[in-house]
Amino acid sequence: MGRVRALTYTAFGATPVVASVPDPSAPPGGAVVRVVASGLCRSDWHGWMGHDDDITTFPHVPGHELAGVVASVGEGVDAGWLGRAVTAPFVMACGECAVCRAGAGQVCPHQRQPGFTDPGCFAELAVVHAAETNLVALPDGLDPAVAAGLGCRVATAYRAVVSRAVVREGESVVVIGCGGVGLASVAIARSRGAHVCAVDVSAGSLDRALFHGADEVVDASIGADKVVAAVAAWSGGGASVSIDALGSPQACRTGILALGRRGRHVQVGLLPPTAGRADVPMERVIGWELDVLGSHGMAAADYGPLLDDVVSGRLDLGELLAPGEPLGLAAAGEALVAMGSSPSTGIVLVDPAR
Ligand SMILES: [Zn+2]
Ligand SMILES: [Zn+2]
């Protein structure tokens, strides 16, 4: 058995190191992908901190925003996949259960998540389970590095805005938190003809939100009550849709209170219980008939419209999908650790071959 390079850590909070790990083989029904690029995401930091119960074995390989080329396939998988440029959702569905058959693989009860339940893609080779369900063939002309940038954040934002909130032309959308998923939400909502207000504490993040099409920005450091008042003034009584792209009890509550009557709140940012439970104003949810919706990734079968929007230019993600030089594995480990003390600056790519 050969060996491949991977970023690993031996305990929660332990310094990630570049190590040589066993060369994975394709399991029955699965495939092995030679990783061309992988996004580095705040979920990787949450996992490293021990906020995710799915990580149970060490050393652990993080990374869940995968793009690459199919290197081998297991029993039962079409050999036509070999050599194809692919991506895969971070929620890898089983493809066989009733939930999957109903088209909701993003919440499959038997889901596996690379970088959490399984070794991730900060490695030269990564396994995709249930390959026929989870592999997404990239259209011609879409660079795998760009596809990695679509990773969990853009795909998650796309499902939240398009499939969960069902944002329509002319609606007002408030996006709280302007990291990767927030900026993608801003751009996607704009591509659907909505008016967008972005909220963040960072002036730099608000500048990026303006660049991605926000009509209005609000500095969250003025305090939650004033943010709610500012959104109400901007939208004429409350937003049609709020998206918590940050994931904090305060952002969740602010998002719900910033809605107008019959508004829809989509919770995208993770709310690990260790950060405290969100205090959801249910009296408002009832009295104003608000919808509070969760959004969890996006199933492979639903990637088509997103890829079409990117390739056609309807959705222009600009520099979000054309970040600077990818990091090598060692630099990725340093960047992962630094995420705890630095604001998100959008999408960072990792090239495991570097
Ligand atoms: Zn399933
Ligand atoms: Zn992610």
Side-chain angles (χ1 to χ4, degrees):
M1 183 179 274
R3 313 277 297 177
V4 293
R5 292 169 71 243
L7 186 69
T8 69
Y9 52 83
T10 55
F12 294 128
T15 303
V17 295
V18 180
S20 163
V21 301
D23 185 350
S25 57
V32 172
V33 172
R34 179 161 293 282
V35 180
V36 172
S38 174
L40 173 65
C41 165
R42 192 157 291 268
S43 304
D44 296 312
W45 179 82
H46 279 299
W48 175 71
M49 286 291 288
H51 297 163
D52 195 310
D53 295 340
D54 287 331
I55 300 174
T56 55
T57 56
F58 297 99
H60 179 71
V61 180
H64 58 280
E65 303 190 0
L66 160 84
V69 174
V70 177
S72 63
V73 296
E75 186 189 326
V77 179
D78 185 349
W81 282 107
L82 290 168
R84 299 279 306 264
V86 295
T87 186
F90 72 92
V91 175
M92 293 198 184
C94 79
E96 295 175 354
C97 72
V99 173
C100 284
R101 286 200 306 273
Q106 73 281 357
V107 290
C108 168
H110 311 293
Q111 67 187 250
R112 302 175 74 150
Q113 298 189 14
F116 299 95
T117 64
D118 287 274
C121 52
F122 292 162
E124 291 175 283
L125 295 174
V127 172
V128 173
H129 291 277
E132 299 284 3
T133 296
N134 294 309
L135 288 177
V136 177
L138 298 183
D140 290 342
L142 185 63
D143 183 341
V146 169
L150 296 175
C152 77
R153 285 159 293 180
V154 177
T156 295
Y158 195 85
R159 180 167 169 75
V161 172
V162 175
S163 301
R164 298 297 276 151
V166 196
V167 167
R168 292 179 291 266
E169 187 165 2
E171 289 193 310
S172 52
V173 177
V174 58
V175 176
I176 301 176
C178 295
V181 81
L183 292 175
S185 298
V186 169
I188 294 161
R190 278 297 296 155
S191 79
R192 301 275 150 173
H195 306 289
V196 183
C197 174
V199 180
D200 201 290
V201 292
S202 154
S205 296
L206 293 177
D207 279 346
R208 280 192 289 277
L210 288 168
F211 176 81
H212 286 287
D215 304 282
E216 176 75 300
V217 293
V218 176
D219 180 346
S221 58
I222 61 175
D225 292 348
K226 288 181 178 169
V227 169
V228 169
V231 174
W234 167 75
S235 57
S240 319
V241 170
S242 60
I243 295 185
D244 174 6
L246 174 67
S248 80
Q250 185 63 65
C252 170
R253 183 177 169 82
T254 299
I256 292 169
L257 290 173
L259 289 172
R261 284 170 171 74
R262 307 206 74 207
R264 295 99 75 196
H265 174 79
V266 187
Q267 188 63 39
V268 182
L270 301 178
L271 283 172
T274 48
R277 297 282 183 187
D279 176 12
V280 176
M282 289 307 285
E283 72 286 358
R284 177 69 66 85
V285 171
I286 297 162
W288 287 19
E289 286 200 345
L290 306 180
D291 290 339
V292 178
L293 305 161
S295 197
H296 188 244
M298 188 169 78
D302 296 332
Y303 268 62
L306 166 61
L307 297 177
D308 288 348
D309 280 2
V310 170
V311 172
S312 72
R314 176 181 188 179
L315 175 58
D316 181 5
L317 290 157
E319 39 95 18
L320 254 189
L321 286 185
E325 283 287 292
L327 303 177
L329 288 176
E334 292 167 14
L336 189 160
V337 170
M339 287 189 116
S341 53
S342 62
S344 173
T345 53
I347 287 169
V348 175
L349 292 180
V350 179
D351 177 355
R354 289 165 77 99

